[in-house]
């Protein structure tokens, strides 16, 4: 299963940044590739959210369970249903001086074994570009 990970330093404390990153419903306002996020369920330390995103002009839809771990400055997510067989990962914040390093990690599986060798590298490349864009948009919003 391919793993894609990107990170960026943002001039803000983790305590200030965590509420921005955990507000998934605001992502369409600050991230070009995210078209819509709807929280379907809220519970103690978790949400179930539906996402509509665009990667390389292709719409991808999924529902994920988001687990908030504020004491670790971390948010884990796991695919519930959607266009891929697996789409799991996390957001992690690590303070380093005046900056906070934000790590965005996704592990995915396309779900069609005979096409995996062809499609996984292509999707990983597209996801990496999309993740970099999302992190850059987040940085711009946080540092504005």
């Amino acid at each position: 299963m391919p793993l894609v990970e990107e990170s960026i330093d943002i001039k803000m404390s983790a305590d200030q940044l965590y509420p921005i990153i955990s507000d998934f419903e605001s992502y369409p306002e600050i991230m070009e590739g995210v078209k819509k996020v709807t929280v379907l369920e809220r519970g103690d330390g978790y949400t179930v959210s539906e996402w509509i995103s665009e990667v390389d002009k292709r719409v991808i839809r999924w529902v994920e369970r988001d687990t908030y771990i504020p004491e670790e400055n971390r948010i884990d997510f796991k695919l519930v249903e959607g266009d891929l067989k697996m789409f799991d990962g996390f957001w992690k914040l690590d303070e380093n001086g005046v900056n906070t390093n934000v790590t965005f990690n996704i592990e995915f599986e396309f779900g069609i074994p005979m096409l995996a060798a062809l499609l996984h590298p292509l999707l990983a490349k597209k996801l990496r570009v999309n993740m970099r864009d999302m992190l850059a948009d987040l940085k711009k919003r946080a540092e504005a």
Side-chain angles (χ1 to χ4, degrees):
M1 291 168 273
L3 173 70
V4 182
E5 186 170 286
E6 288 293 324
S7 64
I8 196 167
D9 283 336
I10 297 177
K11 291 180 184 173
M12 184 178 275
S13 73
D15 287 343
Q16 294 170 307
L17 197 50
Y18 192 85
I20 295 169
I21 289 176
S22 61
D23 183 11
F24 293 139
E25 288 177 302
S26 73
Y27 279 25
E29 299 166 20
I30 60 173
M31 297 176 184
E32 187 177 324
V34 179
K35 300 306 177 190
K36 186 175 181 183
V37 179
T38 306
V39 173
L40 305 174
E41 180 182 336
R42 291 185 196 276
D44 188 24
Y46 80 93
T47 57
V48 176
S49 55
E50 179 181 37
W51 292 67
I52 300 173
S53 188
E54 192 174 283
V55 176
D56 197 32
K57 298 184 182 180
R58 288 187 172 81
V59 175
I60 299 174
R61 300 170 192 266
W62 71 93
V63 174
E64 66 184 40
R65 181 183 171 93
D66 312 301
T67 304
Y68 301 92
I69 313 163
E71 63 276 7
E72 295 179 20
N73 291 318
R74 183 177 170 114
I75 304 165
D76 292 347
F77 58 89
K78 186 168 185 61
L79 180 73
V80 174
E81 64 182 52
D83 292 338
L84 297 171
K85 181 179 179 181
M86 185 180 105
F87 190 78
D88 301 347
F90 61 84
W91 291 89
K92 177 80 172 115
L93 286 66
D94 293 301
E95 284 191 18
N96 54 11
V98 297
N99 294 324
T100 297
N101 182 264
V102 179
T103 300
F104 185 16
N105 171 295
I106 297 175
E107 188 173 8
F108 71 91
E109 185 175 343
F110 204 86
I112 304 172
M114 19 186 205
L115 297 177
L118 176 66
L119 295 177
H120 281 170
L122 180 63
L123 184 55
K125 183 178 178 181
K126 304 280 184 197
L127 273 175
R128 185 171 303 283
V129 169
N130 193 57
M131 290 165 72
R132 285 180 185 156
D133 290 346
M134 288 176 71
L135 286 167
D137 290 343
L138 180 65
K139 178 180 176 85
K140 194 181 311 177
R141 160 78 171 19
E143 292 181 353

